Amino acid sequence: MAHKNCQSCSMPLKKDPNGGGTNADGSTSAKYCSMCYQNGTFTQPDMTVTEMQVLVTNQMAKMGFPKFLARFFTKGIPKLERWKS
């Protein structure tokens, strides 16, 4: 199943400057962005869901989003595939 958003950070995959993360075989990941997933592994494997929410909130704030709106957009991160287990 193709996803519209990264299943780790929720970034829209069409906004990924590298076109998506990469699987171990070098193919493009249909689930994860290049910031979260490279060569078949997570770039920050020990990161918690809370840490991801803080990181995404801060990145969105740097892009000019109001903090309250950035926090709102990160509410769904715990429901993404990476964080379900």
Side-chain angles (χ1 to χ4, degrees), residues 1-68:
M1 177 174 126
H3 297 280
K4 290 185 179 186
N5 294 352
C6 174
Q7 293 299 295
S8 176
C9 71
S10 195
M11 179 178 81
L13 290 173
K14 66 182 178 184
K15 299 277 187 184
D16 187 334
N18 296 322
T22 53
N23 296 313
D25 64 3
S27 63
T28 301
S29 172
K31 289 184 185 181
Y32 303 110
C33 73
S34 61
M35 274 69 87
C36 293
Y37 199 70
Q38 294 176 5
N39 302 314
T41 59
F42 290 107
T43 56
Q44 297 183 49
D46 298 325
M47 179 175 267
T48 66
V49 67
T50 303
E51 290 169 337
M52 179 62 78
Q53 287 175 301
V54 169
L55 176 71
V56 172
T57 298
N58 290 338
Q59 286 301 113
M60 290 180 76
K62 285 181 190 174
M63 294 167 55
F65 285 85
K67 278 265 193 183
F68 79 92

